Amino acid sequence: MRSWDVKGIEVKPQVPEILSSTDEGRAIAIDLPAAESLQDHEVHERAWLVVIEGEIEVKNAAGDRVVGEPGLLVELAPQERHEVRALSDARILLLLTPWPGSGHPGAMTIEQKADVRRRAAERAKP
């Protein structure tokens, strides 16, 4: 058994603290100062956000929006675009499963990574 005091651990603003990482999932603590955000992005895994402290707003690309304080749990599907904004100084716990998810660079073989780099270089040519 392992445990964490998510409220008590030291986390620097905007520097995620990986608490645990296995093939089954990853747990990450994130501090967001008021008015800062995890701008529009997506992750390859299913994501759960739990508000530990403060107040956040989560919006997805479909226009759905939720605002919440400690105790709020938000579930996001793999590849669901979203933005997380701190309405006050906030700490969130992010759970990702499985880790890494399908399509995540960490789940790719060396050959797949080389192919992705090749295609990106081709797109960057004038």
Side-chain angles (χ1 to χ4, degrees):
M1 176 188 315
R2 298 172 69 198
S3 65
W4 296 264
D5 175 3
V6 180
K7 282 186 172 183
I9 62 173
E10 185 176 333
V11 179
K12 294 179 181 160
Q14 293 278 8
V15 181
E17 180 71 27
I18 298 170
L19 304 176
S20 180
S21 189
T22 68
D23 291 343
E24 291 80 30
R26 179 172 270 193
I28 306 165
I30 302 171
D31 274 6
L32 284 177
E36 291 197 17
S37 66
L38 303 175
Q39 296 180 354
D40 181 51
H41 68 285
E42 65 183 64
V43 294
H44 296 277
E45 304 77 18
R46 179 161 305 277
W48 286 272
L49 296 169
V50 180
V51 179
I52 304 299
E53 294 178 335
E55 183 178 21
I56 67 168
E57 172 187 56
V58 181
K59 294 190 285 190
N60 68 10
D64 299 324
R65 175 182 176 267
V66 65
V67 172
E69 296 178 331
L72 174 70
L73 171 65
V74 177
E75 180 181 359
L76 299 159
Q79 287 86 39
E80 182 176 356
R81 296 205 66 79
H82 62 281
E83 178 178 4
V84 179
R85 187 167 60 94
L87 302 177
S88 66
D89 289 348
R91 176 167 290 185
I92 59 175
L93 176 63
L94 172 62
L95 304 170
L96 302 170
T97 63
W99 179 257
S102 178
H104 187 282
M108 294 180 175
T109 65
I110 294 204
E111 293 80 18
Q112 290 170 321
K113 288 179 185 179
D115 187 50
V116 167
R117 288 188 193 108
R118 180 189 54 74
R119 288 191 317 243
E122 289 172 359
R123 284 193 300 273
K125 290 181 183 176

